[in-house]
């Protein structure tokens, strides 16, 4: 098996108390885009890295679920019956 490396790019957008993260994985034949968001409570201190951590974790989780669905689809196509993968 050949070695492969995947790179996920995470971009952040901040607006008021909200932080959005977009995680993108581009493969040769597919593109996956995960989304995550965090909202700071008005009484919380303004520490942007905390919102980025939460938003990125949620975006990567979304991306993970998409990859599981894609893998399940490939297995179903190969085996000819529905499968359910657990994350």
């Amino acid at each position: 098996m050949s070695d492969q490396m995947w790179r996920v790019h995470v971009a952040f957008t901040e607006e008021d108390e909200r932080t959005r993260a977009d995680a993108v994985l581009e493969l040769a034949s597919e593109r996956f885009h995960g989304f995550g968001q965090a909202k700071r409570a008005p009484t919380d201190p303004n520490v942007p890295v905390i919102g980025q951590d939460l938003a990125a974790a949620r975006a990567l989780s979304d991306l993970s679920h998409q990859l599981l669905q894609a893998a399940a689809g490939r297995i179903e196509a190969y085996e000819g019956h529905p499968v359910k993968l657990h994350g």
Side-chain angles (χ1 to χ4, degrees):
M1 181 175 171
S2 65
D3 292 341
Q4 290 190 29
M5 181 183 296
W6 290 0
R7 287 198 170 103
V8 175
H9 296 273
V10 181
F12 298 98
T13 307
E14 299 202 22
E15 185 177 319
D16 300 323
E17 294 89 26
R18 294 186 187 276
T19 301
R20 175 188 170 116
D22 291 277
V24 177
L25 172 63
E26 293 194 41
L27 304 175
S29 61
E30 291 180 274
R31 181 178 191 269
F32 297 92
H33 178 190
F35 160 77
Q37 188 168 293
K39 183 175 187 282
R40 180 175 55 88
T43 57
D44 289 345
N46 187 8
V47 184
V49 71
I50 295 171
Q52 290 173 345
D53 288 347
L54 289 168
R58 291 171 178 154
L60 292 169
S61 177
D62 183 27
L63 192 63
S64 170
H65 289 268
Q66 292 177 37
L67 288 168
L68 281 169
Q69 288 178 335
R74 286 186 187 90
I75 294 168
E76 288 173 356
Y78 180 77
E79 292 189 359
H81 62 83
V83 298
K84 184 170 182 161
L85 300 179
H86 303 280

